[in-house]
């Protein structure tokens, strides 16, 4: 089987990131048998959570540390339709990070054909438990380093 993981090199550590795969469920489709547009946003969250787990830091761990990361914006460009039982491969990459905010891109393709389905971007910030902006650089330097190492500026 072909290795679909992506090498991201930033200094002394090279990360092997495997794209996230989502198998489309029947309930995700509309009356026309096409995936409803709102589901892509859910898949983006799934892929982002998977990316963070591959980084060695999960959303659950963030919540336990009383760090929240709300969505500031989302943009999706639907290129071709996804249907029931398709498998979508989602390549999620952090393309911008400054310790307080991050931007993640998503490239969704059909697993079988490789056809581009969707291009998307989401922006997030980091807040403390009281909803105040949080600088990971100041408060959690090890975590800041992990995010910084993941930035793929080639997009």
């Amino acid at each position: 089987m072909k290795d679909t993981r992506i090498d991201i090199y930033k200094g002394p550590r090279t990360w092997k990131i495997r794209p996230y795969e989502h198998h489309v469920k029947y309930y995700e489709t509309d009356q026309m048998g096409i995936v409803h547009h709102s589901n892509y946003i859910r898949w983006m969250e799934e892929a982002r959570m998977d990316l963070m787990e591959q980084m060695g830091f999960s959303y659950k761990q963030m919540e336990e540390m009383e760090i929240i990361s709300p969505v500031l914006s989302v943009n999706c460009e639907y290129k071709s339709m996804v249907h029931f039982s398709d498998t979508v491969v989602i390549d999620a990459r952090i393309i911008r990070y400054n310790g307080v905010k991050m931007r993640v891109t998503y490239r969704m393709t059909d697993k079988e054909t490789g056809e581009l389905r969707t291009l998307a971007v989401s922006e997030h910030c980091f807040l403390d438990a009281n909803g105040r902006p949080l600088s990971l650089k100041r408060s959690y330097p090890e975590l800041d380093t992990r995010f910084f190492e993941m930035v793929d500026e080639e997009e």
Side-chain angles (χ1 to χ4, degrees):
M1 177 178 234
K2 182 182 171 195
D3 184 2
T4 59
R5 295 176 300 175
I6 299 162
D7 287 333
I8 297 177
Y9 177 76
K10 297 292 178 196
R13 183 180 288 174
T14 299
W15 296 91
K16 282 278 197 184
I17 300 298
R18 121 192 127 269
Y20 178 74
E21 293 187 10
H22 180 84
H23 187 77
V24 177
K25 313 299 184 279
Y26 182 76
Y27 69 83
E28 295 175 308
T29 62
D30 60 20
Q31 286 182 319
M32 298 177 286
I34 300 166
V35 170
H36 189 270
H37 66 275
S38 63
N39 288 297
Y40 293 82
I41 307 302
R42 290 184 180 127
W43 301 348
M44 290 164 59
E45 182 174 289
E46 292 171 11
R48 192 171 56 255
M49 289 174 45
D50 181 68
L51 174 64
M52 289 183 62
E53 287 176 6
Q54 290 187 64
M55 288 169 56
F57 187 69
S58 70
Y59 262 44
K60 183 172 175 56
Q61 288 171 296
M62 260 183 31
E63 288 177 351
E64 289 169 354
M65 296 168 71
E66 297 186 338
I67 302 169
I68 56 176
S69 182
V71 175
L72 298 173
S73 67
V74 173
N75 181 22
C76 283
E77 295 178 41
Y78 304 99
K79 301 296 187 178
S80 60
M81 293 178 269
V82 178
H83 299 86
F84 167 62
S85 200
D86 287 351
T87 297
V88 179
V89 177
I90 305 170
D91 179 19
R93 296 179 188 212
I94 299 170
I95 61 161
R96 196 170 299 146
Y97 171 78
N98 67 7
V100 178
K101 292 182 181 180
M102 74 174 168
R103 177 178 283 176
V104 182
T105 62
Y106 311 84
R107 180 179 176 83
M108 301 182 203
T109 56
D110 183 273
K111 183 176 182 177
E112 189 175 311
T113 68
E115 184 178 359
L116 178 61
R117 299 296 190 205
T118 306
L119 294 173
V121 177
S122 64
E123 294 185 317
H124 309 264
C125 66
F126 299 97
L127 305 175
D128 65 18
N130 297 314
R132 285 178 272 166
L134 177 68
S135 169
L136 296 183
K137 185 177 248 175
R138 271 189 246 129
S139 302
Y140 301 96
E142 181 180 311
L143 193 53
D144 175 72
T145 299
R146 241 184 255 185
F147 274 98
F148 184 72
E149 288 176 340
M150 289 302 298
V151 174
D152 183 0
E153 297 170 340
E154 294 178 14
E155 285 293 311

